[in-house]
Amino acid sequence: MKLSVTGKVLRDVVLVIILLFLLFPILWVFLTSLKTNMESYRFPPTFLPEKASLASYVNLFTKDNAFFVYYKNNFVVSFITALVTTVFAILAGYALSRFHFKWNKWLVAALLTSQMFPVISRMISLYDLLGKIHLINTLFGLTLALIAAQIPFTVILMSSFFDSVPIAIEEAARIDGAGRFQILTRIVTPLVKPGMLASGLYAFLMTWDDYLHAITLIQTDSLRTLSAGVALRYLGELSFDWSLINSISIVSMLPMIILFFFFQKYMVSGLVAGAVKG
């Protein structure tokens, strides 16, 4: 439907209002990071800093740099989780898309059902299981737990991308003598690169923000990831250094902002995959 000039202006105004509403928390965090700690506690609060300062950022990089240990751990765990999850999603998603058997729909139902339970409901059994194989308080155990958490959704996501590839392409390759593994790696996989990127980005983003797994499975400070480390080291019981905490929040958001800036179209295609059939 073609909008009139008034309709277009009204639409743009609504979009700007929604955008400002969504971005205001990030703007507030950034402005607070430029204030002194005393000004951060003032009531009523000031919107703009009276004397904007980068002191909290300087402190973060010089005095309170334990934060970067958490940062490194978080990046390593998120990267490995995204990589392994994507490989599993490719193999399982392809099998789910191409091999149809009587348990197929029950398998999909089981994967979807696993996403309906809150994360905390499986933490006790997960802690007990990892304890029995001596993987509590290790980054390897944490990574395994996060991979298991991300696989169900990414498998379904990759399956929907494989469904969009015509089977006739594989049949033509089979006539030319290609085997199943060659068809998957050389013909089908290159056609679903957006799905692979969407799965990897989803796993990376969900792992980067994870808190429950990290706080439950890791007790050693030097092994903590970002969310758990910041919560335990920088958030005190009686008072917070709000300027420093907001500086940490801004620095922590940078990888996510960079990923969205370069790969947003793949995230969108991943979120709408399977929305339209036929």
Side-chain angles (χ1 to χ4, degrees), residues 13-33:
V13 170
V14 171
L15 288 176
V16 168
I17 292 173
I18 293 174
L19 184 64
L20 290 175
F21 178 76
L22 294 175
L23 292 180
F24 181 78
I26 299 175
L27 176 63
W28 185 256
V29 169
F30 176 69
L31 291 175
T32 306
S33 71

Side-chain angles (χ1 to χ4, degrees), residues 20-21 31 33 63 84 87 93 95 140 171 188 219 246:
L20 290 175
F21 178 76
L31 291 175
S33 71
K63 298 178 182 177
V84 176
V87 173
F140 181 64
E171 291 174 343
V188 180
Q219 287 89 44
N246 283 283

